Amino acid sequence: MKSILPDIIKIFFYKPILMIKNLFQKLLSKSGKSYKIDPNIPQKLIVLMLIRRVIMLVRGFLKTRNKIFIGCNTKIYNIRNITFGNNVTIEKNCIIDGFSSEKIIFGDCVKIGSYSTLSSTSHLSKYGKGLKIGNHSAVGQFTEFGAAGGIEIGNDVIMGSYISFHSENHLFGDSTKLIRKQGVTSKGIKIGNNVWVGAKVTFLDGCEVGNNSVVAAGAVVNGIYPDNSIIGGVPAKVLKSTIE
């Protein structure tokens, strides 16, 4: 009896575990994810993630009538002005302001990390422009999108946590006026395709980052940088090329 007990355990427990992992792998493939699940990932974690995703999907459909995943306590305003691609994820405790002069666009497989904020219109004196973010792009938690002047992010852009975008800049050249009464510039921010952005990077109004680039953690980005650049520093400068 003792000799066959391990085989019985394998029959009743190993196959369900394998089925769950295979199911999750198929769901990842359907959502455009190409990576393979680490065989060391425990079943309990996979089950918890599946349950969490199902709950987020139900919440997303109830809020938007779209197939998107929304975390708890996330608020989305003016949904009619927002276009969602397939398999968009907006995690918990986010605020998405859809009041903008242009459509807010989230491409396929976009992910917005927890506690992030999109502010499209920051002041009643000026209707904001909004945000466009391409396919397979993601930002980490505590990201701030100040999108009054417009933010455009390309495809396949990955970002760490605590990223901030400030697409307006205060004017201060007239010493006879208070700075707060001198108005702002609104040139906007543009980030190309296939860009990796480290944690705690700040993007200022008017900056542009080219395709296939890397932005070092903690950089303050305020210029125009060509394709294939590795940039970093305060203010950020080109350190070298991504092409050897």
Side-chain angles (χ1 to χ4, degrees):
M1 184 68 179
K2 288 183 180 179
S3 62
I4 65 170
L5 187 58
D7 294 329
I8 294 173
I9 291 172
K10 285 180 181 179
I11 291 171
F12 284 96
F13 291 95
Y14 179 73
K15 285 187 177 180
I17 290 171
L18 191 60
M19 287 173 63
I20 291 171
K21 287 189 175 182
N22 288 339
L23 172 62
F24 200 50
Q25 189 69 67
K26 287 180 180 178
L27 291 173
L28 287 173
S29 298
K30 285 184 177 181
S31 64
K33 306 294 184 182
S34 59
Y35 67 86
K36 298 294 184 182
I37 298 174
D38 187 332
N40 296 313
I41 297 291
Q43 178 197 9
K44 185 176 181 180
L45 177 56
I46 292 176
V47 171
L48 287 173
M49 291 184 70
L50 275 170
I51 293 171
R52 176 172 173 258
R53 294 293 285 177
V54 169
I55 293 171
M56 291 175 71
L57 180 59
V58 171
R59 185 184 293 114
F61 182 78
L62 292 175
K63 282 180 176 286
T64 70
R65 294 298 186 268
N66 289 283
K67 183 187 171 184
I68 69 171
F69 300 85
I70 297 180
C72 62
N73 300 319
T74 283
K75 296 179 175 61
I76 303 177
Y77 300 105
N78 200 26
I79 288 176
R80 292 180 180 179
N81 195 47
I82 303 175
T83 299
F84 296 100
N86 296 320
N87 299 302
V88 172
T89 297
I90 303 175
E91 295 192 329
K92 64 182 180 181
N93 295 297
C94 294
I95 298 175
I96 306 297
D97 165 19
F99 287 100
S100 58
S101 61
E102 297 184 6
K103 280 277 189 181
I104 305 293
I105 297 176
F106 294 99
D108 295 341
C109 300
V110 164
K111 180 182 177 182
I112 306 297
S114 301
Y115 302 97
S116 296
T117 301
L118 165 60
S119 301
S120 296
T121 297
S122 59
H123 198 275
L124 293 177
S125 63
K126 182 181 179 183
Y127 202 27
K129 191 173 180 180
L131 168 70
K132 294 179 175 67
I133 180 167
N135 301 330
H136 299 281
S137 291
V139 297
Q141 59 185 3
F142 295 100
T143 293
E144 179 184 354
F145 296 100
I151 301 170
E152 295 182 20
I153 298 171
N155 302 319
D156 303 295
V157 176
I158 53 174
M159 302 189 190
S161 57
Y162 295 95
I163 308 296
S164 62
F165 297 84
H166 307 276
S167 60
E168 285 188 335
N169 191 27
H170 284 278
L171 299 171
F172 56 88
D174 189 345
S175 60
T176 66
K177 295 181 180 179
L178 297 171
I179 294 174
R180 65 182 177 86
K181 293 185 177 182
Q182 293 186 45
V184 296
T185 62
S186 301
K187 299 176 182 177
I189 295 169
K190 293 182 180 180
I191 298 177
N193 302 314
N194 187 35
V195 177
W196 172 26
V197 180
K200 299 182 179 179
V201 170
T202 301
F203 294 95
L204 300 181
D205 187 41
C207 73
E208 297 182 17
V209 177
N211 301 321
N212 314 312
S213 294
V214 176
V215 184
V220 176
V221 183
N222 67 343
I224 297 177
Y225 307 87
D227 294 351
N228 309 305
S229 295
I230 299 176
I231 66 176
V234 181
K237 62 181 180 180
V238 178
L239 303 177
K240 61 179 182 178
S241 173
T242 57
I243 301 176
E244 296 296 337

